[in-house]
Amino acid sequence: MRQIKSYLSKIYDIETVVLIGETEEIRELGNWLSNKKGVVKEYSADRDLAEEKIDAVIFDRSCHEQTMKLWEVAPRYLIGRLDKEEEYFDIWEKYRQVSDFIYLARDKEILPEENVNDANNCEILEWQRGDSDTELSVIIPVYNVKKYLPECIESLISWKASYVEYIFVNDGSTDGSENIVKEYRKRDDRIQLINKENGGCASARNRGMKAAKGRYLGFVDSDDFIDERMFYKLFRRVLLGNFDLVYCGYKEYYEQSKETEDVLNDCLKAPYLHGTYRPDKVVKLAVNTRVAIWRCLYKKEVINDNGIRFYENLKRFDDLPFRVEYFFVAKSAVCVSEHLYYYRLGRKGQDVACSDDGFFVHFDIFEYLDEYVDKFKDSRMTDLLQIVKLQTHGFALSRIKGSLRREYIRRAKRQMDRNMGYFRTVCLTLMYTGKGNLRWYTRMKLCPLGKTDEEKQGRGN
């Protein structure tokens, strides 16, 4: 009740309050309110409050049912606390239609490894009505994906929440993808369609972000699909705690066999499982999770305040700098431990399958990110960016073949040396990722100007 009393002490426009609950604490709160605020009415099932002006409804634990019955009173404030077993999201969904402010404190289940003190034994849902009725905007770039688009759309619109919008940005498709979106828009008015000239995925996402009205933003690739409850589960979780970021796991979906496989080792564990407000923990997600920006929700306020966008001059992997920039400035994060996004593999032309000089865009990306991180003058950010470079260049070198490999190694070596030397990089690698990347990095360092072992022995291409 301490949190509720603190919240109430900041409010000056409450005169008439209905209290729901029979605990000693709720009675004490009623006495305090009577002295400080105004008229306090106790809830009873046989009392008709529909015709009375009620400024606030305040409820205690185990009063979920009674609280749900009172929503027609339309209080400006809904304030209450729940135990860790009680559902909060349906209360928020109901009262958001009639209230301007919602403040819910729910008891937190403490994991043995978390060592949370008494001051952090609950999670807070604090919501205020905004200018728009939209809470969540999902942005879907569309370019010549007619074959896959219906499955994607069906998986999205299965969640019937009225406060979600789906923004499809048609990036100059020529295969009839636009018409598919138009047909679905006739059935679901939450679907929006934006048409633009072809400019690439980054420009399409930026256009969608500009049009988005939601507090949180999500992204889906139009040739993928989701578990129909993914965005419900992500939004439900991010709301309790007002986190800057929420993410879930994802599956690889193989087009030819229709089989799926969970992507493992993706940080779906403590401290993120119950959420963290430690920026030093949040920033580690940049190196401990895969890029996969489309299984997350991002707070639009954080994006706008920090000027984060997708870089339209990048031909590939524009999601990498977006992810790094966001994780470096986000202050809190939480995860949903289920694998809810289906990432389609087996389609010709996907970035994940490229093995040509398309990987050389990494150098432009990290040139930009080096300058971005320099502004913070933060050694931790510099260290973590070094690990992101190591992981990214290691991934590229596992795929690049032939004569392009030598040039990539040459440039990767120079970029890795920009901020620190070999021994510091080795220490950071062991600290954050283990030994996995040390072999190629050490071999690269031992080869002057990036020469491979074959070139040193005169057997190069």
Side-chain angles (χ1 to χ4, degrees):
M1 198 60 71
R2 180 179 63 251
Q3 293 88 351
I4 289 177
K5 194 170 182 179
S6 175
Y7 180 74
L8 285 167
S9 67
K10 303 172 186 176
I11 300 173
Y12 300 99
D13 57 350
I14 289 180
E15 294 182 358
T16 306
V17 177
V18 173
L19 292 181
I20 308 176
E22 300 179 356
T23 64
E24 183 64 30
E25 287 179 292
I26 203 77
R27 292 193 185 95
E28 291 179 0
L29 181 66
N31 292 332
W32 179 81
L33 283 168
S34 294
N35 294 327
K36 297 285 186 181
K37 300 292 182 181
V39 179
V40 175
K41 301 175 183 290
E42 293 187 3
Y43 168 81
S44 63
D46 58 355
R47 183 172 186 171
D48 185 8
L49 297 171
E51 301 301 323
E52 300 188 41
K53 180 182 181 299
I54 305 298
D55 296 315
V57 169
I58 303 175
F59 66 94
D60 204 357
R61 299 185 185 98
S62 303
C63 296
H64 182 282
E65 183 178 352
Q66 299 97 307
T67 302
M68 290 292 282
K69 290 178 180 178
L70 270 185
W71 77 278
E72 290 182 342
V73 171
R76 189 162 184 236
Y77 292 87
L78 175 72
I79 304 166
R81 65 176 182 174
L82 307 97
D83 65 37
K84 60 179 179 289
E85 304 299 330
E86 288 185 280
E87 180 54 61
Y88 60 91
F89 193 68
D90 60 345
I91 293 179
W92 173 83
E93 282 194 306
K94 199 75 171 177
Y95 275 85
R96 68 174 294 277
Q97 302 174 57
V98 296
S99 299
D100 294 330
F101 302 89
I102 299 175
Y103 184 92
L104 305 178
R106 191 173 84 150
D107 295 340
K108 182 177 181 181
E109 181 180 356
I110 308 301
L111 297 177
E113 64 269 27
E114 286 190 298
N115 189 29
V116 178
N117 59 43
D118 291 339
N120 296 318
N121 62 356
C122 69
E123 294 180 283
I124 304 297
L125 187 163
E126 186 171 359
W127 175 88
Q128 179 177 340
R129 182 176 302 282
D131 295 333
S132 170
D133 193 50
T134 302
E135 302 287 341
L136 171 62
S137 300
V138 182
I139 298 162
I140 310 99
V142 176
Y143 179 71
N144 288 352
V145 285
K146 180 179 179 179
K147 177 180 177 181
Y148 308 104
L149 196 51
E151 185 174 20
C152 176
I153 297 176
E154 290 285 354
S155 70
L156 289 170
I157 64 176
S158 294
W159 181 32
K160 301 302 181 182
S162 62
Y163 46 83
V164 181
E165 64 177 356
Y166 300 103
I167 303 174
F168 290 83
V169 184
N170 177 38
D171 191 37
S173 295
T174 58
D175 69 342
S177 293
E178 174 189 355
N179 294 329
I180 293 175
V181 179
K182 286 181 177 178
E183 286 301 312
Y184 275 98
R185 188 173 58 176
K186 293 177 183 178
R187 295 163 39 187
D188 195 323
D189 60 8
R190 298 173 302 168
I191 292 176
Q192 296 185 34
L193 174 63
I194 297 174
N195 288 306
K196 60 181 288 295
E197 294 182 0
N198 180 254
C201 187
S203 67
R205 286 173 174 154
N206 284 339
R207 185 70 172 271
M209 288 200 298
K210 185 177 181 180
K213 298 177 182 177
R215 302 171 194 264
Y216 284 91
L217 305 182
F219 300 95
V220 171
D221 285 352
S222 51
D223 53 352
D224 296 334
F225 59 99
I226 65 169
D227 181 292
E228 64 182 27
R229 290 175 66 81
M230 184 185 93
F231 282 118
Y232 160 77
K233 291 180 177 181
L234 290 179
F235 184 68
R236 175 182 178 274
R237 188 64 190 91
V238 80
L239 200 62
L240 183 63
N242 193 31
F243 291 98
D244 289 347
L245 171 76
V246 62
Y247 64 97
C248 65
Y250 70 99
K251 301 174 183 284
E252 291 182 340
Y253 173 79
Y254 299 102
E255 176 70 16
Q256 294 182 350
S257 65
K258 310 301 180 186
E259 296 177 344
T260 64
E261 183 177 352
D262 291 350
V263 175
L264 304 177
N265 302 318
D266 206 21
C267 232
L268 302 175
K269 57 184 180 181
Y272 310 104
L273 192 59
H274 281 175
T276 179
Y277 295 92
R278 290 181 52 180
D280 63 315
K281 297 292 185 182
V282 178
V283 74
K284 285 185 179 179
L285 291 171
V287 301
N288 291 332
T289 59
R290 293 166 176 81
V291 176
I293 65 163
W294 21 249
R295 42 64 180 271
C296 307
L297 295 185
Y298 309 88
K299 189 179 288 186
K300 187 169 68 173
E301 181 182 12
V302 174
I303 290 174
N304 290 342
D305 287 351
N306 292 278
I308 301 172
R309 294 293 183 269
F310 293 91
Y311 293 95
E312 300 180 18
N313 60 331
L314 299 176
K315 296 180 180 179
R316 288 190 173 116
F317 310 124
D318 56 273
D319 48 354
L320 175 57
F322 178 92
R323 170 180 176 267
V324 170
E325 287 187 52
Y326 193 91
F327 285 10
F328 278 15
V329 297
K331 305 301 183 186
S332 57
V334 67
C335 76
V336 173
S337 60
E338 299 173 78
H339 295 76
L340 301 173
Y341 189 98
Y342 291 82
Y343 178 51
R344 192 184 301 270
L345 293 172
R347 182 175 67 83
K348 184 178 179 180
Q350 285 181 289
D351 286 340
V352 71
C354 73
S355 58
D356 57 12
D357 59 356
F359 284 114
F360 281 71
V361 73
H362 289 152
F363 301 110
D364 294 330
I365 290 173
F366 287 118
E367 182 177 347
Y368 169 80
L369 287 176
D370 275 326
E371 295 177 359
Y372 171 78
V373 169
D374 286 346
K375 298 175 184 177
F376 290 89
K377 302 185 185 303
D378 185 325
S379 60
R380 176 182 286 271
M381 284 189 178
T382 302
D383 290 347
L384 289 170
L385 182 59
Q386 185 78 345
I387 299 303
V388 175
K389 289 180 184 178
L390 189 78
Q391 293 171 325
T392 304
H393 291 322
F395 168 75
L397 286 170
S398 71
R399 295 175 177 270
I400 290 179
K401 308 297 180 185
S403 58
L404 292 174
R405 182 178 177 83
R406 174 184 175 182
E407 178 59 22
Y408 193 98
I409 291 175
R410 185 192 304 272
R411 295 181 65 178
K413 178 179 179 180
R414 290 174 178 168
Q415 199 163 68
M416 293 292 296
D417 288 345
R418 179 188 186 271
N419 294 320
M420 64 190 66
Y422 172 76
F423 290 106
R424 182 168 181 79
T425 301
V426 168
C427 291
L428 291 172
T429 302
L430 294 174
M431 181 186 304
Y432 289 109
T433 69
K435 300 179 180 180
N437 285 294
L438 285 182
R439 183 179 178 186
W440 77 263
Y441 177 63
T442 299
R443 291 181 65 188
M444 180 184 72
K445 290 294 293 185
L446 294 176
C447 295
L449 296 178
K451 291 183 180 179
T452 64
D453 291 341
E454 290 82 2
E455 289 176 315
K456 291 170 68 178
Q457 298 172 24
R459 299 201 304 269
N461 292 326

